[in-house]
Structure formats: structure tokens, C-alpha cells
Amino acid sequence: MDLLAPIPEAPEPDWAAAFRMPIAECGQPLQALGISQGFLVWPAYHRLGIPNALPECHARSEVFDRLLHAANLLPDGMRLVVLDAWRPFAVQQHLYDTLYDILKHHEPEADPAELTRRTREFVAPPSTRADAPSPHLTGGAVDVTLADRDGRWLNMGSLFDEATPRSYTRHYEAFEQPTKLQRRVRDHRRLLFNVMQAAGFSNLSSEWWHYDYGDQLWAWHTGASKAIYGPAQVLPLEQLWRQQLDGLRKPL
């Protein structure tokens, strides 16, 4: 496969249509990613001090496997880095509200509908609805970047979660005569896009770092008939104990 194939054009998601995609929950559990030897994990929101963010990244078991596959496709000397995966609702709400408020403060005369549209470019609407959960609440959405062999992050042309057009996945594809730096950034994004796509993920066109598998956004992007991941939950110890004790009452 051509790891540096150009990133194709992709439409901005129709969130209403995506949230209408049916969900056939497959029941795959969430797994902690931090013990993986195949890729690096840096839980960005916890490190940045976002309230209620967890010190570990969790994803569905098949997402874990597909991340390993994507990491194995990278050239020698490059590593995949997971920045975020399953996300508590409180974190989703915090990110959405914070970005909306910043945009409103920056452009006080802007129409609320336009502010909502621009906020949705970078943060999905918070939702725990069983039929329309936010992608990161399913354990199917992941935020990723690239690093070198020693863990130094590669230049991707914008910061993670940067709310500017530079974050659009194809931003650096538009330069007809890119500089050496622009070409390097473009190739880093192409490399990330192509290995993640080869592993079965779809990309959110406004965020070079955001990829989905199994959730409604993935189903909408890929033309799948249904999503396989609904809302998921990292259970506290007390609830795990209750489930384990309840399981003792059931025959094997």
C-alpha cells in the first residue's frame, strides 16, 4: 500500500444523519490501552488538567486490535500515540461548552447556529442517549498522533484540539507548491490517515487526529448499515464487585 497517498476529500459530517444510524450493540468490553507494547498512550485531557478526565485511555477490544494493526503498518522509527479514546460525559460536556463560550466571546455578534456549527467541527454534541451517543462515549472513537522511535511527537501542522482551519485533515493538501516544512507535515498526516484507514477507521475531516471505528459516525462515513457500538461505561470498582457477585448466582 502507498502510505503517502494523498488524503481524499471528505464531506463535513451530517450529525443529524449520523445520529439516525441504527445501533446493534455487539457487547465488546472496554479495555485499558496503557499496557500496550504496540503503541504509546498519553491521556491528554488528564495531563492537561481537564475536570473528570481519566488517567488512562480505554477503547473497545476490537479498536485496541485495530490500533495495533495501524501501528504495525508504520515505517520503522515511527510510533502511534493514543491521546484520547473513551471519554466521560462530563468531559465531553466541558469541552463542548468551553469551546462554544470561547467562540462566542471571540465573535459576540455571531449567530448562535453558526457558533454551534463551528463548535461541532471540533467537539461532538454531548449525548448519552442510547440511540445517539457522542462518538467518544462509545469507546469507538480515538484521537491519535505520531511520534519518533524515542517518543518525540512529529510535527502535524497544528496542535491537538487546535480549533482553527489548520486542524482540517486536508489542510496541507491544498498547497500547490508546499515548502519543505509543509511537505513534511502533509506527509505525516498522509501517513497517519493511510495506516488508520487501512486498519478500518474513518476520519473526521475537521480533525486530523480523530478516527472512528464501530460508532455511528463511522457507519455514516463508511456506508455501513449500522453501528456496532452504543454508549459504554468504565465501571467503578463498586459496580464491578456487584456485577461479579450477581454473576455467581447465574449458572455457567
Side-chain angles (χ1 to χ4, degrees):
M1 63 178 289
D2 183 2
L3 295 180
L4 294 181
I7 299 170
E9 293 188 19
E12 184 176 323
D14 181 337
W15 286 102
F19 282 153
R20 288 195 297 269
M21 297 295 297
I23 301 172
E25 172 59 55
C26 66
Q28 289 174 10
L30 291 168
Q31 291 191 348
L33 305 182
I35 61 172
S36 172
Q37 300 300 303
F39 49 79
L40 302 174
V41 177
W42 196 83
Y45 293 126
H46 176 74
R47 299 294 183 92
L48 293 171
I50 300 299
N52 300 298
L54 300 182
E56 173 64 286
C57 292
H58 300 78
R60 299 283 190 139
S61 55
E62 187 172 351
V63 173
F64 195 148
D65 293 339
R66 290 177 180 273
L67 287 169
L68 289 171
H69 180 55
N72 287 333
L73 293 174
L74 290 170
D76 290 342
M78 288 191 179
R79 304 195 68 184
L80 188 69
V81 185
V82 177
L83 302 172
D84 190 39
W86 180 84
R87 186 182 295 169
F89 176 78
V91 174
Q92 189 73 24
Q93 188 74 62
H94 174 86
L95 295 174
Y96 187 90
D97 291 346
T98 300
L99 180 55
Y100 184 94
D101 290 345
I102 289 172
L103 291 172
K104 184 177 180 180
H105 178 77
H106 185 68
E107 299 180 34
E109 303 303 320
D111 180 75
E114 175 61 14
L115 291 175
T116 296
R117 186 195 70 79
R118 292 177 58 192
T119 301
R120 285 184 169 193
E121 284 186 325
F122 300 104
V123 184
S127 172
T128 56
R129 286 173 46 191
D131 63 339
S134 302
H136 275 285
L137 270 70
T138 70
V142 292
D143 295 332
V144 291
T145 189
L146 297 174
D148 67 14
R149 186 191 310 276
D150 298 313
R152 290 185 290 259
W153 292 11
L154 302 187
N155 187 345
M156 303 300 288
S158 82
L159 298 175
F160 165 59
D161 259 358
E162 182 174 317
T164 74
R166 291 185 301 185
S167 292
Y168 297 171
T169 307
R170 296 192 74 255
H171 179 76
Y172 289 90
E173 297 285 341
F175 294 97
E176 293 184 2
Q177 295 182 319
T179 65
K180 184 177 180 180
L181 177 59
Q182 289 168 343
R183 188 180 302 110
R184 184 182 307 121
V185 167
R186 181 201 66 191
D187 288 351
H188 290 164
R189 291 193 183 190
R190 287 181 177 183
L191 184 60
L192 180 62
F193 178 89
N194 286 310
V195 299
M196 292 296 286
Q197 186 179 58
F201 292 92
S202 64
N203 171 250
L204 179 60
S205 60
S206 57
E207 299 180 354
W208 59 260
W209 57 83
H210 179 104
Y211 288 85
D212 296 272
Y213 178 78
D215 58 24
Q216 288 172 304
L217 192 55
W218 165 85
W220 182 84
H221 272 126
T222 62
S225 61
K226 60 184 180 298
I228 59 173
Y229 299 149
Q233 182 68 43
V234 174
L235 298 178
L237 181 60
E238 295 87 348
Q239 194 166 344
L240 285 172
W241 279 343
R242 290 191 182 97
Q243 284 190 354
Q244 292 160 5
L245 291 173
D246 289 341
L248 292 177
R249 301 193 185 101
K250 300 176 182 179
L252 293 177

